[in-house]
Amino acid sequence: MGAVRGKIEVRGIVQGVGYRPFIHRQVRRAGLRGWVKNTSHGVEITLEGERDALEAFAEMLRTNYPPLAMVESVTITAWNKAEGVDGFRITESTKLPLRRTLISPDIATCDDCLGELEDKNDRRFGYPFLNCTNCGPRFTIIRDVPYDRPNTTMGGFPMCPVCGREYHDIENRRYHAQPTCCPDCGPQLGYCDADGTRVEGDALSLAVETLQKGGIVAVKGLGGFHLSCRCDDAGAVLRLRNRKHREEKPLAIMCRSIDAAKKFCAFGDEEAAVLTSPQRPITLLKKRSDMAHLTNNQYLGVMLPYTPLHHLLLRSFDALVMTSANLSDLPIIKDNEEAITALQGVADGFLLHDRPIESRCDDSLLWVHEGMPYFARRSRGYVPYPVAVDIDGETVLACGGEQKASFCLSRESDVFPSAHIGDLKNAETLTHYEQQITHFEKLFDVKPELLVCDQHPDYLSARYAYDRCKHEGLPLIAVQHHHAHMVSCMADNRLTGKCLGIIWDGTGLGDDGTIWGGEFLVGDEQSYERVGSIRPIPLIGGERAIWEIERIGYALLHEADGISEENPVWERMLLRGMNCPASTGMGRLFDGVCALLGLRSSVSYEGQGAVLLEAAATEDEGRYPVVIEGDTFDWREMVKAIVHEKVQGVETGVIAARFMNTLVEMAVEMSRRICGDKGLQHVVLSGGVFQNQYLLTRLPRRLREVGLTPYIHRRVSCNDEGLSLGQLVIAKKGGGVYVLGSTAEDR
């Protein structure tokens, strides 16, 4: 038949993961000829050989690729007569008018690199920035595509001749590894004292010495700085808490190894697999003993080292506290000068390096539920992997909510969720949010044609969306908070059509202008109806009650036949309805019960009441009366039963368990009634309350027992971080309400 020339285009995560060297090796085995190059769309391969051989080669590429690659499509185009090229080569990258490449997340140090790190005869022995095609920094260093060294923060580090030879050697695993470097040509460590003054000597040894003495060290990592101290030194941990103003929120630790982690927590093979995965997330594990200085609940956040620097640092310790270096809810710090200035009086030393961080990226945080990740925070190691939603159409920017803010940007059928942003409550976090939107639009070469936001007008994300749409003349759609939660879980599971959503969180603006959060919704990606809720709870003093939860406890007692203690001011406020907005937030019900049980009168972080109730709960199958009036769960009888058992001296852990058991049975009964009336089968669970593993384990099981099919989040978080995915899908499906611009008919 004769030789022909064909062009193969491969799209997906095929840059920075050893894809071109992989192609080179496969081409040689197949006896073909030609070249391969990165483009702004992915990878382009031009081959000459028999047509059958080229087609077989393309088919092989659909299922055979390097471990860190993700192939979306393989297409053969432009059949031509062969021109007789010799051999095979990697050629210079090409920028095309439209960029359609995907970007790899940052990947933990691979075993081969770890072997070199520990080999005294290797030229990279003990070098804290070694990496190869199969591991190392990606998303946090990339400035532009295609993914070539000049387009990363490694552009300022020219390769030495030895690294250059490795880079061009097809047999070397550093072949075309863009961040590759060595002690002679790569980034270097430095150490500064508490005043930011450079200290001469081995930077790593100086940091270890400070830590061993009970000091706090700011460590520059992959996506930002950590604040670190010995986790076995309660005094050091207390100083860190006081200086960072993080008095009670749990602290994560980094353990040297799986064996070291087992000294702190009990876990099995499934958790170990996630801990050692290339993503290296913080994994929430059941703690073994009393570790109140680190966490006041039953879980301890544990991660393993994911950079060579971390491995070197942990040589001297079983574990270290590793908490994000940020102050007063500001974004994680990423630059050396910023760290030295902002962390004065917090850190006793600074372990720095001179490789710039382009994008901040916090550690991912998750549980392992039924063998799979269940995200509380989807960030490093996972971002910017896309989430496929199988919905084409216009390019949409979904702006998320306020707490645990995130955004989603669509391109064709792919959706790109942002890394963790934080709570949008200050100018600094808003600036970071805006910068990341700009960065994503550049990397993925998309310009939004439509923006969508939460319907709460005072969220900074909504204000950003409104201002941008006014300035750029773009249409803006507002989406109800809990509808977005529901559709987020539907999209996460690729579920379409009408279903029931059990959406439980703390706060979200309802269509009636009140605060929702304990909702049962029936709907799809376009519309919904509220078919159930809980009896509203008066919030004495408004938002103040969210933090002073004894106010909510008092309101619960007052509503339950007036059995409340004397507080004339609060009593008058309730009787007159003065500054006592009503909330159906399930999170508020948890807060109130937490206060009634005497666990806390106030909280220092959102959701702490629910965390403490879950931590207190013992194994008990009892429950309290489930009273459903029409479409509303009336919690008053439950509250009276809780108070009665508290007075009778029933153990707090038993009451906590029975409270949550009651919520499970209430949800099952409501679901059974609603699904029976509406002819529904599928039930999605979303909202921050479903971070509660007690509920998450029991409620789906009970729903299955009554013949319903439950769905939980798998690819994005159930909390407000997942809102933007739901917003985006609703907008693409024609739902929501136009705030600016077009009308549904025009679409």
Side-chain angles (χ1 to χ4, degrees):
M1 183 175 177
V4 297
R5 171 178 289 185
K7 184 167 70 175
I8 303 174
E9 293 184 353
V10 185
R11 296 189 180 185
I13 296 181
V14 289
Q15 295 188 18
V17 292
Y19 196 77
R20 290 177 298 171
F22 164 79
I23 292 297
H24 199 154
R25 291 189 291 271
Q26 300 303 316
V27 166
R28 289 198 310 176
R29 290 172 186 164
L32 301 172
R33 306 171 301 280
W35 60 88
V36 62
K37 63 182 177 180
N38 280 345
T39 74
S40 300
H41 287 183
V43 165
E44 182 182 291
I45 311 161
T46 299
L47 295 177
E48 291 190 356
E50 295 295 326
R51 181 161 183 159
D52 289 348
L54 265 62
E55 290 178 338
F57 187 85
E59 188 61 31
M60 177 273 297
L61 294 181
R62 300 181 198 278
T63 56
N64 189 14
Y65 40 82
L68 302 182
M70 185 179 77
V71 172
E72 285 196 335
S73 64
V74 178
T75 308
I76 301 182
T77 60
W79 291 107
N80 293 296
K81 182 179 179 181
E83 297 181 8
V85 299
D86 291 325
F88 189 81
R89 65 188 188 277
I90 293 179
T91 63
E92 186 175 346
S93 301
T94 301
K95 284 192 176 183
L96 299 176
L98 291 176
R99 307 171 186 176
R100 287 296 179 262
T101 190
L102 297 177
I103 310 299
S104 170
D106 301 288
I107 299 299
T109 311
C110 69
D111 289 342
D112 288 331
C113 282
L114 286 178
E116 294 174 340
L117 189 70
E118 302 296 336
D119 184 355
K120 293 183 179 179
N121 297 317
D122 193 280
R123 72 188 191 94
R124 291 185 175 89
F125 168 68
Y127 181 56
F129 303 100
L130 83 170
N131 64 83
C132 72
T133 303
N134 300 319
C135 68
R138 299 292 192 273
F139 171 66
T140 53
I141 65 170
I142 189 168
R143 288 174 168 156
D144 202 353
V145 291
Y147 176 69
D148 290 328
R149 194 180 185 101
N151 289 333
T152 73
T153 61
M154 285 297 294
F157 297 91
M159 276 185 271
C160 68
V162 180
C163 284
R165 286 195 293 273
E166 292 173 338
Y167 180 85
H168 290 98
D169 180 2
I170 185 65
E171 300 298 334
N172 195 289
R173 77 175 195 282
R174 292 188 169 90
Y175 185 52
H176 280 248
Q178 303 307 326
T180 191
C181 57
C182 73
D184 294 331
C185 64
Q188 302 295 320
L189 287 179
Y191 186 80
C192 293
D193 64 17
D195 296 324
T197 303
R198 190 75 172 225
V199 180
E200 295 301 321
D202 181 74
L204 186 66
S205 298
L206 290 166
V208 168
E209 181 181 356
T210 301
L211 291 166
Q212 287 175 334
K213 292 179 178 178
I216 298 164
V217 176
V219 181
K220 186 177 182 181
L222 203 56
F225 276 79
H226 287 108
L227 287 169
S228 184
C229 69
R230 288 174 53 176
C231 63
D232 59 351
D233 185 337
V237 174
L238 180 60
R239 285 191 293 277
L240 174 57
R241 286 193 176 281
N242 290 339
R243 293 178 187 181
K244 196 188 175 188
H245 304 296
R246 190 186 176 111
E247 286 76 12
E248 295 181 296
K249 203 169 185 181
L251 296 170
I253 65 172
M254 180 178 282
C255 294
R256 183 196 315 180
S257 63
I258 286 289
D259 287 340
K262 287 182 177 178
K263 296 178 182 179
F264 299 92
C265 299
F267 56 91
D269 292 343
E270 291 177 341
E271 290 86 355
V274 173
L275 282 168
T276 58
S277 69
Q279 291 79 24
R280 289 291 201 280
I282 299 175
T283 305
L284 291 156
L285 305 172
K286 291 285 185 71
K287 63 185 182 184
R288 279 196 179 276
S289 58
D290 181 27
M291 305 183 72
H293 63 302
L294 297 175
T295 176
N296 57 7
N297 65 57
Q298 61 189 312
Y299 295 102
L300 178 63
V302 176
M303 59 181 157
L304 299 187
Y306 54 86
T307 72
L309 176 58
H310 291 135
H311 282 279
L312 294 171
L313 195 59
L314 268 293
R315 280 176 175 174
S316 304
F317 307 92
D318 273 344
L320 291 170
V321 169
M322 284 282 178
T323 185
S324 298
N326 60 330
L327 298 176
S328 303
D329 297 320
L330 299 181
I332 187 172
I333 294 168
K334 71 180 183 71
D335 299 321
N336 293 346
E337 291 184 4
E338 178 190 8
I340 290 171
T341 300
L343 299 177
Q344 287 286 317
V346 178
D348 299 309
F350 297 84
L351 183 57
L352 311 172
H353 62 74
D354 55 354
R355 183 180 68 204
I357 297 171
E358 181 66 18
S359 294
R360 293 178 173 89
C361 199
D362 278 276
D363 298 310
S364 292
L365 177 67
L366 55 82
W367 292 267
V368 178
H369 180 75
E370 296 179 344
M372 297 177 64
Y374 186 78
F375 289 99
R377 184 169 70 216
R378 182 184 184 270
S379 200
R380 178 191 50 77
Y382 299 93
V383 173
Y385 271 138
V387 174
V389 295
D390 303 325
I391 304 173
D392 284 331
E394 60 216 311
T395 300
V396 177
L397 170 63
C399 297
E402 180 174 75
Q403 292 182 335
K404 299 175 175 63
S406 73
F407 62 84
C408 276
L409 188 64
S410 73
R411 187 183 69 191
E412 297 165 352
S413 62
D414 283 331
V415 173
F416 300 95
S418 70
H420 172 73
I421 300 291
D423 292 350
L424 277 179
K425 294 183 177 180
N426 53 60
E428 293 85 354
T429 308
L430 178 61
T431 298
H432 171 42
Y433 172 84
E434 293 172 343
Q435 289 171 344
Q436 281 299 290
I437 289 175
T438 300
H439 191 50
F440 269 55
E441 290 178 5
K442 178 181 179 182
L443 289 183
F444 301 116
D445 195 27
V446 292
K447 175 121 178 113
E449 302 166 279
L450 169 70
L451 270 68
V452 54
C453 66
D454 193 276
Q455 70 180 13
H456 197 303
D458 294 331
Y459 284 177
L460 289 182
S461 56
R463 292 183 185 180
Y464 164 83
Y466 184 86
D467 291 344
R468 180 170 178 181
C469 287
K470 286 281 285 186
H471 181 260
E472 298 182 16
L474 296 172
L476 173 63
I477 289 175
V479 169
Q480 199 279 324
H481 188 92
H482 300 95
H483 187 207
H485 267 307
M486 173 178 162
V487 176
S488 175
C489 192
M490 292 174 64
D492 201 338
N493 290 278
R494 295 189 171 183
L495 187 65
T496 59
K498 283 194 180 297
C499 65
L500 171 63
I502 303 177
I503 315 301
W504 290 354
D505 63 4
T507 300
L509 181 63
D511 286 336
D512 58 3
T514 65
I515 306 166
W516 289 5
E519 311 311 315
F520 293 81
L521 309 179
V522 167
D524 54 22
E525 302 99 316
Q526 291 179 298
S527 62
Y528 74 97
E529 60 175 321
R530 188 190 194 196
V531 294
S533 190
I534 70 171
R535 178 183 173 87
I537 302 166
L539 302 182
I540 303 173
E543 188 171 349
R544 189 172 176 180
I546 296 173
W547 305 104
E548 298 174 11
I549 61 173
E550 62 181 339
R551 294 168 177 261
I552 302 177
Y554 187 94
L556 295 182
L557 289 173
H558 179 273
E559 293 288 299
D561 288 342
I563 49 172
S564 58
E565 298 176 1
E566 284 295 321
N567 189 311
V569 175
W570 292 354
E571 195 72 19
R572 282 197 302 270
M573 292 174 71
L574 286 168
L575 291 173
R576 297 176 183 177
M578 181 175 62
N579 195 18
C580 291
S583 168
T584 60
M586 185 60 74
R588 303 291 79 86
L589 187 57
F590 270 86
D591 288 339
V593 172
C594 177
L596 288 177
L597 294 183
L599 293 173
R600 291 299 296 258
S601 60
S602 63
V603 295
S604 60
Y605 60 89
E606 173 68 22
Q608 187 178 8
V611 167
L612 294 176
L613 278 172
E614 182 184 359
T618 59
E619 287 296 325
D620 189 274
E621 298 305 318
R623 61 180 175 87
Y624 301 119
V626 174
V627 179
I628 299 173
E629 298 288 348
D631 59 1
T632 302
F633 169 54
D634 189 336
W635 39 258
R636 290 178 296 182
E637 290 300 317
M638 179 186 70
V639 168
K640 284 193 275 189
I642 287 172
V643 172
H644 175 74
E645 289 200 337
K646 178 70 173 173
V647 171
Q648 294 298 312
V650 176
E651 184 185 344
T652 297
V654 171
I655 299 175
R658 291 175 179 175
F659 162 65
M660 290 186 285
N661 293 342
T662 305
L663 297 184
V664 168
E665 292 309 309
M666 176 271 289
V668 170
E669 179 59 22
M670 291 278 277
S671 300
R672 190 187 61 78
R673 293 185 189 185
I674 294 166
C675 290
D677 290 344
K678 302 287 186 179
L680 301 175
Q681 176 67 37
H682 303 307
V683 183
V684 297
L685 311 181
S686 191
V689 168
F690 287 111
Q691 292 177 152
N692 182 306
Q693 299 298 296
Y694 189 100
L695 293 180
L696 193 69
T697 299
R698 286 161 177 77
L699 180 51
R701 184 178 68 226
R702 287 288 293 118
L703 288 169
R704 293 187 191 101
E705 288 173 358
V706 299
L708 299 174
T709 307
Y711 295 86
I712 64 172
H713 283 272
R714 285 303 186 191
R715 297 184 290 168
V716 298
S717 306
C718 68
N719 59 42
D720 281 7
E721 187 178 89
L723 278 177
S724 57
L725 175 61
Q727 292 173 346
L728 187 144
V729 172
I730 290 168
K732 275 182 168 282
K733 285 287 192 175
V737 176
Y738 274 95
V739 177
L740 292 171
S742 185
T743 65
E745 289 76 18
D746 294 331
R747 299 176 75 193

